[in-house]
Amino acid sequence: MKPFINWLHVFLLIGQMSGFASGNSTDGEGVQFFETKIRPVLIEKCYRCHSVEADQAGKLKGGLLLDHREGLLLGGASGPAVVPGNVDESLLIDALRYDLLQMPPEGKLPETIVNDFVTWIEQGAPDPRTGDGAVPRSAEMDIEAGRDHWAYQPPRIAPVPDVNDSTWPRNDIDRFILARLEAEGLRPVSDADRITLIRRLSYDLVGLPPSPEEIQRFVLDRSPTAYEDLVDRFLASPHFGERWGRHWLDVARFGESLTLRGLVFKEAWRYRDYVIDAFNEDMPFDQFVREQIAGDLLDGETIEDRRRQIVATSFLVLGNTNLEEQDKEQLRMDMVDEQIETIGKALLAQTISCARCHDHKFDPIPTSDYYALAGILSNAKAMRHANVSAWIEVPLPMEADREAVIVAHEKSVSALEAQIKELRASLKNSEAGKGILEPEDVPGIVVDDEQADRVGEWKSSTYSGNFIGSGYLHDDNQGKGEKTLTFQPDLSKAGLFEVWIAYSPGASRASAVPITILSAEGESDHTIDMRQQPPIEGRYLRIGEFRFEANGQAYLQISNEGTRGHVTADAVVWIPAEQVASSAPSSLTEQNELARLESELKALSQNAPQRDMAMSVVEEDSIRDLKIHIRGSVHNLGQEVPRGFLRVATQSDKGPRLPEDESGRRQLADWVASPQNPLTARVLVNRVWHWLMGEGLVPSVDNFGTTGDSASHPELLDTLAVRFVNEGWSIKTLIRKIVVSRTYQLSTERDPSAERIDPENVLRWRMDRRRLDAESIRDTMLWASGQLDLEMSGPSFPETLAADYGFKSKRTRRSVYEPVFRNALPEVFEAFDFADPSLVVGRRNTSTVATQALFLMNHPFVIQQAQETAARLLEMDFNAVDDRISYAYQLILGRSPTEEELSIASRFVNDPTHPEEGSWSLLVQSIFATIDFRSIQ
């Protein structure tokens, strides 16, 4: 039956996979990549030798101009510098890699920058520059003229349009949509059926499918408010925040590690949980914005408020930063630039970071505005610098009883540390007792190095001037593993003895010298770090207390096996335990006390109550404005710029009044979240529309600038934005308004006449079919198999994890709780277009490629979930095989099988030559692979 199995897979697994399309960047995204990743490098590293300016100064090299697109394509003496789409034939890449040419000549650029150029060329080398690309725009940019662009105009409520078919609309959204359709001579298609609606709504609002039982109840519910009640139930579900919080995490470039060394953010999960909770609680969006930009500076009425606000500011520091950068001023500005990029695109849909090196080429954003914003963010310290700098974690406030326990513990630790510090100082002072000491002046029973049994060649020395007897021995750092010294005492009576060893310390000594002691209890092994000064009078180290027999076998042996550095030995002393207190130097008592205190401190630290920490920023001690960095260079400074905001999006031309003792983040947060800001509400409303409809009213959801798209329904967008603000910035209210519209509830049926006029469905005459995202695909498989763990919140990975490389999660929690590791994303995420966690992603790529089919056919996760689902189905009680098949389809696809599907599946699972569970597992896997599974109708 193998041919039949293969045929079934072809029919169900591959035959239904259609519409293959590449997920290339749009032109706007490509230009943005050029402006942020490519142009700044060309300006800083290349223009001085390869620009019109260099040519005019007689400094042009090789006839190559890199300050405009034509120069790149024509190239110089060696040929074209860039061949769009062809990395191998692009000489610029050879030069950057130092293969044939070497550019820039002063040193190879970091691999990350070279990879950016590779990506840019693979994208087709988008480049908006013309021949005057090297010349910056005038500092007198006309901001007022720039405000003519629609996005910088204040939104206004438009009159609700009249429509010919007044019976069709269910709310004002429908009236705006229908008016445009009627103007073009179009009609909406029919409404979606109830089975389609509940599945669509369930995925859109909670990210999980409805159960067959939930579908049946909704289909049979004849209440006039059945649909609205379903909407309200989904909005009230705790899983709503998980679904919609994940949307925001895309925009916030949420990641839990750095590509650098795979360093992990152990506290990043708190921000993820903050976002989920904020959506579940329907936190007003203006408050949500303020807390993420300046939560640490806001007043909180309760401890919970303060904790939440501090965690919210993790938003500022979650970016993928190269903490290994040794030019720390450059690193600081790179992080500030990343923050500006994130705030600009996520909240304002503006490409502000394009103005880091020069006035923005397309939008009315001068370089001075960039550094006005940078001045604010640079006063929020985000790193502690070292060779590899570190992000900042701050303690979170806690309830009084828990705080009291921690404070008491910290006081105990502080007291112990003070005592330890004092004892160490005392012992250090006691090291003055150096010099030559006769054996008879040593307390206890001494065995000098001259009396030791030697194996191998040991050299005598008196160089240190601090020894017992006539000198000490060392192994000359030679013959490792070939030399030992054995010290055997003459003990006249049995008992407990302390064993001390005298040696000559120093920086060239071995750090782990093996010592073996034979006592009445047998052999015990120890190691000595001979680099360290002996703590007892600078001469002795206490090994421990042991029981020995009278004149029995006893020894201490020193070996040089496995050591690096000189091994030395001076003498070994056996002191009867009862004589230690009276005959030992006072420093021994201090050493014993030090050992006791250090042991106590270690135990106290191991059982310490933990303070909750969060990634955040702290205000700089000294607040300063920034100077413009000419061509983006931190070492080429121009005019100082007062801290401020984007003038084009500000109603008043007067600069803001920012406090001299604060960064200005509170005021920045207020400006972004202000009802007078023309961008913020529009951007969020457009994002919500995109997340529900699959396409924004403005398709370029992260770019409302002049290179972005225009709104398809500008009056609708503005009206929704103003009402969103007037209704308390409530995201749930906005979502409800959209999903109860008839526009949202349309079917996906095709209308040939409408497609001829509006093939892209810009006017919304039907609902677009949408591909499930990676998280919903994974979660639905786990849900169908009964393996999905619905536990909410908490850390994503073990606390002991130090790096993300090679990490593979085996947990079955919802995908929003899977670690977002930049070096180790789950394979299902990579296959199905998960958002790049290093970028602001308001609109995910949606590709259909062969690797997705291969993943569904071969990946162990898919196979395991198919097996678990099959086992679950076989445990259920059904009257007939066809009933079980129908339930499988309802469980996985939300619908019953067609007659043809039922016939094929029934023949397959009833074939007596197949093992029952194997047949059902293959059937389930085949349903997982259908286009209906991974699509929302």
Side-chain angles (χ1 to χ4, degrees):
M1 294 301 296
K2 273 190 174 180
F4 180 72
I5 294 175
N6 290 338
W7 177 80
L8 178 71
H9 270 70
V10 169
F11 180 78
L12 288 176
L13 197 60
I14 301 202
Q16 295 193 38
M17 294 190 74
S18 59
F20 284 80
S22 116
N24 292 337
S25 300
T26 65
D27 290 343
E29 290 169 345
V31 169
Q32 169 68 5
F33 188 87
F34 172 82
E35 291 291 347
T36 56
K37 299 290 187 180
I38 305 303
R39 192 200 288 257
V41 178
L42 293 174
I43 290 173
E44 182 180 354
K45 300 295 184 181
C46 307
Y47 278 13
R48 63 180 176 273
C49 300
H50 298 286
S51 64
V52 172
E53 187 178 326
D55 189 22
Q56 293 169 347
K59 298 178 180 179
L60 184 67
K61 303 293 185 183
L64 175 63
L65 294 170
L66 298 179
D67 55 347
H68 54 84
R69 178 172 175 79
E70 293 77 9
L72 275 169
L73 298 179
L74 290 173
S78 301
V82 167
V83 179
N86 193 327
V87 174
D88 293 337
E89 293 187 15
S90 295
L91 294 178
L92 180 63
I93 299 301
D94 289 337
L96 294 177
R97 288 173 172 166
Y98 272 41
D99 288 344
L100 298 174
L101 304 171
Q102 294 185 351
M103 211 171 77
E106 66 271 15
K108 187 177 179 181
L109 296 176
E111 197 64 27
T112 53
I113 293 179
V114 177
N115 290 338
D116 285 340
F117 275 82
V118 170
T119 300
W120 172 61
I121 291 172
E122 288 174 342
Q123 291 175 345
D127 183 350
R129 300 171 304 160
T130 57
D132 63 349
V135 182
R137 291 172 71 177
S138 167
E140 300 300 323
M141 181 182 288
D142 192 340
I143 301 296
E144 186 58 40
R147 292 188 179 122
D148 290 340
H149 180 60
W150 68 267
Y152 307 128
Q153 294 288 313
R156 294 179 174 83
I157 292 180
V160 178
D162 295 327
V163 293
N164 296 328
D165 184 359
S166 60
T167 63
W168 187 84
R170 290 179 182 151
N171 62 15
D172 287 348
I173 289 174
D174 295 330
R175 294 179 180 88
F176 279 103
I177 296 296
L178 185 60
R180 283 294 311 277
L181 290 172
E182 289 179 343
E184 299 294 334
L186 297 176
R187 287 285 306 165
V189 297
S190 62
D191 297 339
D193 59 62
R194 285 204 162 196
I195 292 176
T196 299
L197 270 185
I198 186 173
R199 188 170 186 267
R200 178 189 298 172
L201 194 66
S202 186
Y203 273 118
D204 278 348
L205 297 195
V206 298
L208 292 170
S211 68
E213 293 76 18
E214 288 175 312
I215 295 172
Q216 185 71 4
R217 281 197 300 271
F218 178 62
V219 168
L220 297 177
D221 188 347
R222 295 295 110 194
S223 165
T225 61
Y227 179 76
E228 288 77 8
D229 294 343
L230 184 65
V231 170
D232 293 337
R233 180 163 63 83
F234 284 145
L235 288 173
S237 167
H239 303 309
F240 169 83
E242 293 173 326
R243 172 62 171 172
W244 280 77
R246 182 58 254 182
H247 286 320
W248 184 256
L249 294 176
D250 281 8
V251 173
R253 49 67 171 114
F254 175 75
E256 294 182 80
S257 69
L258 298 173
T259 53
L260 168 71
R261 303 190 183 193
L263 300 174
V264 296
F265 295 155
K266 294 185 184 294
E267 304 296 341
W269 63 272
R270 296 187 189 277
Y271 176 78
R272 178 207 63 212
D273 286 358
Y274 160 81
V275 170
I276 291 172
D277 290 344
F279 276 91
N280 273 335
E281 295 164 9
D282 198 21
M283 179 186 291
F285 186 71
D286 59 338
Q287 178 186 344
F288 187 59
V289 168
R290 286 187 174 92
E291 291 186 351
Q292 290 176 89
I293 296 175
D296 57 314
L297 304 177
L298 302 179
D299 294 329
E301 295 182 1
T302 66
I303 289 175
E304 288 75 18
D305 289 343
R306 294 294 303 124
R307 287 172 64 91
R308 185 191 69 247
Q309 292 164 344
I310 292 171
V311 168
T313 58
S314 299
F315 170 77
L316 295 172
V317 292
L318 288 168
N320 192 13
T321 308
N322 177 22
L323 299 178
E324 223 161 13
E325 168 65 58
Q326 295 306 298
D327 185 337
K328 299 307 178 183
E329 187 62 23
Q330 178 70 40
L331 174 57
R332 184 174 76 110
M333 283 307 300
D334 285 347
M335 176 165 273
V336 167
D337 182 71
E338 198 276 339
Q339 292 169 339
I340 289 175
E341 170 83 354
T342 301
I343 292 172
K345 294 181 82 172
L347 300 174
L348 306 171
Q350 296 293 295
T351 56
I352 303 171
S353 61
C354 289
R356 180 180 184 178
C357 305
H358 49 74
D359 288 349
H360 201 294
K361 297 298 178 182
F362 309 104
D363 296 332
I365 304 174
T367 304
S368 56
D369 278 12
Y370 175 94
Y371 286 97
L373 286 168
I376 294 173
L377 294 168
S378 68
N379 284 300
K381 185 176 180 181
M383 292 170 287
R384 292 190 174 92
H385 291 309
N387 180 42
V388 177
S389 299
W391 57 90
I392 288 176
E393 292 180 356
V394 300
L396 293 172
M398 288 177 286
E399 297 292 345
D401 54 349
R402 191 175 170 195
E403 182 72 23
V405 171
I406 291 177
V407 169
H409 173 267
E410 290 174 344
K411 286 182 178 178
S412 298
V413 168
S414 180
L416 276 175
E417 289 175 339
Q419 293 179 63
I420 289 169
K421 182 179 180 181
E422 184 178 346
L423 273 174
R424 283 176 177 164
S426 176
L427 284 168
K428 186 174 182 180
N429 292 334
S430 73
E431 293 172 5
K434 296 181 178 180
I436 301 172
L437 192 65
E438 295 301 324
E440 56 266 27
D441 295 329
V442 176
I445 300 163
V446 61
V447 181
D448 197 10
D449 57 291
E450 294 180 339
Q451 302 167 280
D453 295 331
R454 307 182 191 187
V455 173
E457 183 181 352
W458 292 82
K459 291 191 174 183
S460 296
S461 178
T462 59
Y463 179 79
S464 73
N466 183 43
F467 49 83
I468 296 168
S470 59
Y472 57 91
L473 299 176
H474 65 84
D475 72 341
D476 201 28
N477 200 19
Q478 306 268 339
K480 297 300 185 180
E482 301 171 3
K483 304 179 183 184
T484 61
L485 290 173
T486 304
F487 298 78
Q488 293 180 293
D490 183 10
L491 303 177
S492 59
K493 65 174 185 177
L496 288 172
F497 292 81
E498 283 207 356
V499 180
W500 300 356
I501 184 171
Y503 62 89
S504 174
S508 66
R509 305 307 193 233
S511 62
V513 178
I515 304 290
T516 300
I517 293 179
L518 177 63
S519 66
E521 287 88 7
E523 286 188 347
S524 61
D525 296 322
H526 311 265
T527 58
I528 296 175
D529 184 356
M530 289 189 172
R531 298 172 305 176
Q532 303 300 319
Q533 188 79 24
I536 304 174
E537 295 189 341
R539 191 186 301 274
Y540 307 105
L541 173 68
R542 178 182 182 271
I543 303 298
E545 187 178 76
F546 306 88
R547 179 174 296 281
F548 294 91
E549 298 296 339
N551 296 318
Q553 287 187 330
Y555 63 75
L556 181 149
Q557 185 179 83
I558 299 176
S559 171
N560 74 344
E561 183 174 3
T563 59
R564 297 178 62 184
H566 290 78
V567 174
T568 70
D570 188 5
V572 180
V573 183
W574 277 259
I575 305 177
E578 66 273 12
Q579 297 178 18
V580 170
S582 60
S583 62
S586 60
S587 59
L588 176 62
T589 303
E590 292 178 328
Q591 186 207 13
N592 289 340
E593 178 65 4
L594 177 62
R596 184 189 69 79
L597 290 174
E598 287 178 332
S599 177
E600 186 178 340
L601 179 61
K602 182 179 179 181
L604 198 60
S605 299
Q606 288 174 340
N607 299 311
Q610 295 297 311
R611 274 197 179 277
D612 292 339
M613 307 293 287
M615 298 175 69
S616 186
V617 295
V618 294
E619 293 285 275
E620 292 281 6
D621 295 331
S622 177
I623 305 300
R624 60 172 182 164
D625 292 331
L626 280 185
K627 294 181 178 180
I628 290 176
H629 294 26
I630 298 172
R631 291 185 171 177
S633 172
V634 297
H635 305 297
N636 188 7
L637 303 181
Q639 179 183 357
E640 187 170 275
V641 178
R643 289 167 291 146
F645 317 136
L646 286 190
R647 284 175 284 165
V648 72
T650 304
Q651 298 300 309
S652 171
D653 288 330
K654 294 182 180 179
R657 301 180 65 177
L658 301 183
E660 295 182 358
D661 58 347
E662 271 189 20
S663 61
R665 281 186 294 123
R666 282 191 303 120
Q667 291 74 21
L668 173 61
D670 287 342
W671 173 78
V672 173
S674 168
Q676 280 70 50
N677 189 308
L679 296 166
T680 309
R682 270 196 187 110
V683 171
L684 191 279
V685 165
N686 190 60
R687 291 195 188 283
V688 171
W689 186 277
H690 165 76
W691 288 326
L692 289 170
M693 297 290 195
E695 183 81 276
L697 293 168
V698 180
S700 56
V701 294
D702 298 326
N703 184 3
F704 275 26
T706 59
T707 60
D709 300 315
S710 297
S712 60
H713 299 74
E715 295 85 2
L716 173 59
L717 176 62
D718 277 15
T719 299
L720 288 175
V722 174
R723 289 180 178 176
F724 173 62
V725 172
N726 292 343
E727 292 166 358
W729 300 78
S730 167
I731 291 177
K732 284 189 177 182
T733 299
L734 174 62
I735 291 172
R736 191 182 194 281
K737 191 175 297 184
I738 295 173
V739 298
V740 300
S741 71
R742 195 163 187 177
T743 304
Y744 175 83
Q745 297 174 60
L746 290 174
S747 72
T748 58
E749 71 179 89
R750 319 294 294 209
D751 180 344
S753 60
E755 285 184 328
R756 283 193 295 271
I757 297 173
D758 181 23
E760 299 298 324
N761 191 33
V762 173
L763 302 181
R764 306 305 308 178
W765 50 269
R766 63 175 170 85
M767 190 65 170
D768 286 327
R769 185 171 187 152
R770 292 169 285 147
R771 218 270 316 276
L772 284 180
D773 58 26
E775 298 96 315
S776 294
I777 289 172
R778 175 183 175 275
D779 290 353
T780 302
M781 289 184 186
L782 287 168
W783 176 84
S785 70
Q787 304 299 305
L788 184 62
D789 179 358
L790 292 175
E791 177 190 359
M792 296 181 67
S793 72
S796 306
F797 53 88
E799 188 177 353
T800 54
L801 189 70
D804 69 359
Y805 291 113
F807 180 86
K808 290 189 181 295
S809 173
K810 296 181 180 178
R811 302 184 315 170
T812 59
R813 296 178 70 191
R814 285 200 69 176
S815 296
V816 72
Y817 300 112
E818 282 289 282
V820 183
F821 285 154
R822 290 178 167 122
N823 296 308
L825 285 175
E827 290 166 318
V828 64
F829 286 9
E830 293 184 327
F832 290 98
D833 306 309
F834 186 75
D836 185 335
S838 298
L839 303 174
V840 173
V841 180
R843 176 179 181 170
R844 287 192 187 183
N845 184 32
T846 304
S847 65
T848 306
V849 292
T851 50
Q852 295 168 353
L854 294 172
F855 179 90
L856 294 168
M857 291 173 68
N858 301 310
H859 198 278
F861 171 79
V862 179
I863 294 171
Q864 180 184 357
Q865 300 317 311
Q867 291 170 344
E868 297 283 356
T869 306
R872 179 185 177 191
L873 289 168
L874 290 171
E875 288 175 357
M876 294 180 178
D877 186 21
F878 291 98
N879 294 326
V881 169
D882 284 4
D883 292 339
R884 196 184 308 276
I885 294 171
S886 293
Y887 190 84
Y889 270 79
Q890 293 165 15
L891 182 70
I892 300 169
L893 303 183
R895 64 167 176 81
S896 297
T898 65
E899 291 184 8
E900 184 180 14
E901 288 168 336
L902 182 61
S903 175
I904 293 170
S906 181
R907 278 187 285 133
F908 178 66
V909 298
N910 283 315
D911 191 314
T913 64
H914 297 160
E916 182 181 38
E917 190 165 335
S919 297
W920 280 94
S921 177
L922 280 173
L923 175 64
V924 168
Q925 188 182 355
S926 299
I927 300 173
F928 281 158
T930 61
I931 195 170
D932 284 354
F933 169 73
R934 61 185 192 278
S935 298
I936 306 175
Q937 293 269 31

